[in-house]
Amino acid sequence: MKNIKNLFIEKSIHLFLLISVSITILTTLAVIVLLGKESIAFFSEVSIISFLFGTNWSPLIEPQSFGVLPLVCGTMWIVFGSVIFAVPVGLLVAVYLSEYASDKVKSFLKPILELLAGIPTVVYGYFALTFITPLMKWFNPEIEVFNAASGAIVVGIMILPMIASLCDDAFSAVPSSIKQGGYALGANTFEVIKDILIPATKSRIGAATVLAVSRAIGETMAVTLAAGATARLTGDPFGSIQTMTAYIVQVTMGDAPAGGVEYLSSFAVGTLLFLMTLVMNIIGNQWVFKSRIRVV
Amino acid sequence: MSASASENSEIILETKDLNVFYGDKQAIHSVNMQVKKGTVAALIGPSGCGKSTFLRSLNRMNDFVSTARVDGKVFYQGKNLYSKKVDPVELRSQIGMVFQKPNPFPKSIYKNITWGPKINGFTGDMDLLVEKSLKRAALWGEVKDRLHDSAFDLSGGQQQRLCIARTIAMNPDVILMDEPCSALDPRSTQAIEDLITELKRRYTIIIVTHNMQQAGRISDETYFFHEGNLIESGDTKQIFTKPSVQMTEDYITGRFG
Ligand SMILES: Nc1ncnc2c1ncn2[C@@H]1O[C@H](COP(=O)(O)OP(=O)(O)OP(=O)(O)O)[C@@H](O)[C@H]1O
Ligand SMILES: [Mg+2]
C-alpha cells in the first residue's frame, strides 16, 4: 500500500518537473519563432544593410528611415557608462566585503546589497529623474532633463549589487590556504588582493562584467525614464537618446499601428537585441566555465 | 649534544605562559619554550594536541582565525611579538612558514618564488634567486625546463618543495614547518630532511612532525605536546632514549596517539 503511494508521488513529481521544463523550452521557442517571423516580414520591406548600417532612425515621421545605429548608439552609451562605473565600484565592494569587513559589518551590508538588487527598475527610473538629473543640472544647468549620462549612472547603480556579489563569490572560492601562503611571506592585505586574489579570479570577474553588460543592454524602464526617447547618433552623453529597448516599449505602447512596417521594426530591433544579449551570455558562461577549471 | 646547539646558545624565540583560545575553548595551556638560534626543534604529539595552533602563534598566523585569541608572550630577538609596536607583516617576512598542505599560488613556478622577495623589496638577480632556492629545495632538476608553467601542474610533492623553495627565497631567520613531508614520497622526504640539516647552520627551524624517526634524525630538541600542554621537552637524544615522563615514552614507542 505504502509502496504504491510512494510510486504515485514519485511519478507525479516527475511529471510536474517535465511540464515545468517543457514550459520553459516552449516559451523560448515561441519567442524565437515570433521574433523571427515578424523580422522576416520587416526585412521584406526594408533591406538588412540599410537597417544595420543606416544612421537615421525615424520610423514614425515621414520620410521613414530605419537605420538602427542611433538606437545601438543609445544602448551603447548606457552600457559603457554603467559598466565603467559599476565594475570597478562593484569590485571594490567585493574586495571590502571579503577581505576587510568584519563579520558584523558583512552581515549588515550583504542584505543591503540584496535589497538594492530587488528594487523595481521603475523606481530606479524615478530616482534618476528626481535625484540624479537635478544633481547633474545643479553642476551644469545646460544639461537636458532627459540625458544618457543620468541613465547610465542609474543603470550602473542597478547592476552594482550583482557585480559585487558575483565578485564576492569568486573571491570566496579562492582557498584561504592560498591567501595564508601569501601572508606567510610577509605580504599585506593589499598585496594579497592585488597579486593573488584578483589574478586568480580574473576570468570570473570578466564573466561578471559580461553578465553586467547584457543586463545593461536589456534594461528598459529606468533608461526610458532617465534618458528619454530621441533616437540620436551622438557623442554627447548629456543629451536625450533612445535605446533599443526604449524604442520597443514606445512602439508596443501603441505609437504605431499594428501590422505596419513601423510596428514590425520593433521586432527587428528585438531580434538584434536578443542576438546581442545571447552572444554576451555565451561569452560570459564560457568564461565562468573556464575559470571553474582553473581555480580549484 | 648537538654541536650547533652548544656552540651557539643564543635564544632566538621564546614563549612565556602562552595560552591560545578558540572562542571559549583553550587549545594551548601556558606553554614555555626556548629555541636556540641555529637549531632544529621538533614538535610532536597526538593529532589535535595543538601543535599547529602553537606553531601559528609564533608568526601570528592565528591573527587570521577570527575566533582565535592569544594570551601570553612570544619573544623574538627580545621583542614581544604580540606588543602593539610589532608589525605582523614585517615579522612574517622574517619568520617564514611552510604549511601542512601544499599551497602554491595560481601563478607560474618562477613567480611563486619571486613574488615574496619582490613585494619585500628584493632587488638582486631574480633568476639566480629562483635557481638557488629551487636547488636547495631539491626541485630544480625537475622543473628547470618549465619554470613558466603553472605551479598547479606540479605533483603534490613537487608543490610542497616549491612552497619550501619560496619560503627559503625570503631568506628568513626562522622557518616554521607544519608536517612539511606528510604529502611527500620517501625520496623527496629525504631531500627535505637533508635540506633541513643543511639549513640549520644559518636558520632556526621549528618543525611539526608525526614521524618519530624523522624527529630523531633531524632535530636537536624535541617538544612533546598532549591536549594543549607541553608535557616534556629537551635534548632529542635524551627524549628518545630516556624520557622522564611515562606519557612521552608511551607516545614515542607508539603505545598511544
Ligand atoms: N580554527 C579553529 N577553530 C576552533 N578550533 C580549532 C581551530 N583550529 C584548531 N582547533 C582545535 O584546537 C585543537 C588543536 O588543533 P591543532 O590543529 O593545533 O592540532 P594539531 O596538533 O596540529 O593536530 P594534527 O596533528 O592533526 O595536525 C583541536 O582540538 C582543534 O579541534
Ligand atoms: Mg596540525
Side-chain angles (χ1 to χ4, degrees), chain B residues 20-23 25-28 44-56 62 65-68 100 178-179 208-210 225 227-228 251:
Chain B
V20 184
F21 303 84
Y22 291 113
K25 196 176 144 261
Q26 187 160 5
I28 291 292
I44 60 171
S47 184
C49 69
K51 306 177 295 293
S52 300
T53 303
F54 180 74
L55 200 69
R56 281 200 306 265
N62 279 334
V65 182
S66 60
T67 55
Q100 189 164 348
D178 195 345
E179 298 182 48
V208 172
T209 177
H210 277 291
F225 285 79
E227 292 181 353
Y251 180 72

Side-chain angles (χ1 to χ4, degrees), chain B residues 1 8 95 102 112 128 186 195 197 212 249:
Chain B
M1 263 283 119
N8 198 343
I95 305 185
N112 259 274
L128 201 68
L195 168 74
T197 318
M212 291 306 113
E249 188 176 335

Side-chain angles (χ1 to χ4, degrees), chain A residues 103 177-189 191-192 195-196 199-200 294-296, chain B residues 61 64 66 89 92-93 95-97 99 103-107 115-116 119-120 152 166-167 170:
Chain A
D103 289 349
S177 65
I178 290 183
K179 289 188 259 172
Q180 299 231 339
Y183 288 117
L185 288 174
N188 58 34
T189 311
E191 287 156 346
V192 168
D195 292 341
I196 296 176
R294 278 189 58 82
V295 177
V296 184
Chain B
M61 286 304 285
F64 300 108
S66 60
V89 171
R92 292 187 202 108
S93 68
I95 305 185
M97 181 166 232
F99 297 78
N103 57 349
F105 305 129
K107 296 177 184 294
W115 185 70
I119 60 171
N120 282 285
F152 284 8
R166 91 184 166 194
T167 306
M170 291 291 296

